[in-house]
Amino acid sequence: MSTALIVDDEPQMTMIIGYALETQGFSVLVAHDGATALHLLRSREVDLVVLDVLMPAMDGLTLCERIRARSDVPIMLLTALAHHDDVIAGLERGADDYVTKPFHPREVALRAAALIRRRRETGTVLRVGALVIDPTARTATLAGQRLELPYTEFKLLLHLATHRGNPQSWQDLLRAVWGTTEIIGGRDVVKSTVYRLRSRLTGDGDGTTYVRTIRGAGYVMPDLPPPTAP
């Protein structure tokens, strides 16, 4: 049984979401503030965090960043429909998905279950050329050297490696990495993140070895064979 931590300062909301998650087989923990949430994450095994953005004392975006600094647990944001800037900020700080208010509790539960399912399906270590990616440990090495990647760049790298050989449009990448297709200037967001990722992949020659631009199609990671032993 997976355990979900719901963080929201409104008790009625935690009850509604908690009941919906329980119908999908989750056990539920509840925190009404950031400090309690961090304590529970230190003391309990948690498989998913459902986090409201608007909270007093420690807001949801700050809490999201603090969680991501110590854990790769999937994080789902709950945010008001009008606050798309919160969505962007949350995804940049490491959130995996978001649901806008008002929402149907069953939608939250189904998307939570999908996050857990995807996490379990992407645990295999990937090898592309001299690049080795471990999704479970959230690490990547290039020619034996560890890459220090921010969370969003790691998600981008992992997605391209998972779909190596198949071009991914900027819309595909927005949906897979940022969890949305509605970011204003989304194409530029993807382009700048690809640029930063390439700059970190220069240890084995040119960064475009692993992330190539396909005119009119998007970006692709070629399916490179592992390096031959000397």
Side-chain angles (χ1 to χ4, degrees):
M1 179 180 290
S2 298
T3 299
L5 171 60
I6 306 170
V7 189
D8 196 310
D9 62 311
E10 298 181 18
Q12 184 177 9
M13 185 63 69
T14 60
M15 290 177 60
I16 292 170
I17 297 172
Y19 178 76
L21 289 174
E22 287 171 348
T23 64
Q24 291 296 310
F26 284 88
S27 64
V28 172
L29 300 172
V30 172
H32 297 299
D33 58 75
T36 303
L38 291 172
H39 172 73
L40 286 171
L41 285 166
R42 285 192 295 266
S43 60
R44 303 286 295 271
E45 290 291 331
V46 174
D47 301 293
L48 172 74
V49 177
V50 181
L51 173 59
D52 186 36
V53 169
L54 296 178
M55 294 192 300
M58 185 188 303
D59 65 82
L61 296 180
T62 300
L63 179 56
C64 179
E65 189 171 39
R66 292 187 62 176
I67 293 172
R68 187 55 71 223
R70 63 179 297 276
S71 172
D72 64 349
V73 62
I75 299 172
M76 178 188 296
L77 294 179
L78 306 177
T79 182
L81 182 61
H83 295 101
H84 279 292
D85 287 346
D86 288 342
V87 173
I88 296 171
L91 294 169
E92 288 178 340
R93 297 185 194 197
D96 297 274
D97 198 2
Y98 73 95
V99 179
T100 54
K101 298 178 180 179
F103 53 77
H104 194 289
R106 182 162 171 76
E107 178 189 2
V108 176
L110 290 174
R111 293 178 75 156
L115 278 176
I116 296 295
R117 185 171 60 251
R118 288 202 300 270
R119 171 58 60 91
R120 290 171 178 167
E121 291 173 349
T122 58
T124 304
V125 173
L126 303 175
R127 302 176 189 276
V128 184
L131 184 63
V132 179
I133 305 168
D134 186 337
T136 302
R138 204 176 73 80
T139 60
T141 60
L142 181 61
Q145 299 296 313
R146 179 161 176 163
L147 300 173
E148 298 300 331
L149 298 175
Y151 188 71
T152 300
E153 291 175 32
F154 180 83
K155 286 182 69 176
L156 174 61
L157 181 69
L158 177 59
H159 180 80
L160 290 171
T162 302
H163 296 83
R164 57 194 178 279
N166 298 309
Q168 303 292 300
S169 69
W170 65 267
Q171 295 97 329
D172 292 334
L173 295 176
L174 262 185
R175 188 179 302 107
V177 179
W178 285 266
T180 182
T181 57
E182 300 178 3
I183 293 179
I184 296 174
R187 188 170 191 166
D188 290 333
V189 170
V190 172
K191 185 176 180 180
S192 62
T193 307
V194 167
Y195 175 82
R196 293 194 302 272
L197 177 59
R198 280 176 172 162
S199 71
R200 302 178 195 276
L201 293 170
T202 56
D204 190 45
D206 188 348
T208 57
T209 299
Y210 290 95
V211 184
R212 298 178 183 174
T213 301
I214 307 297
R215 186 178 296 276
Y219 303 95
V220 66
M221 178 177 290
D223 193 3
L224 301 171
T228 56

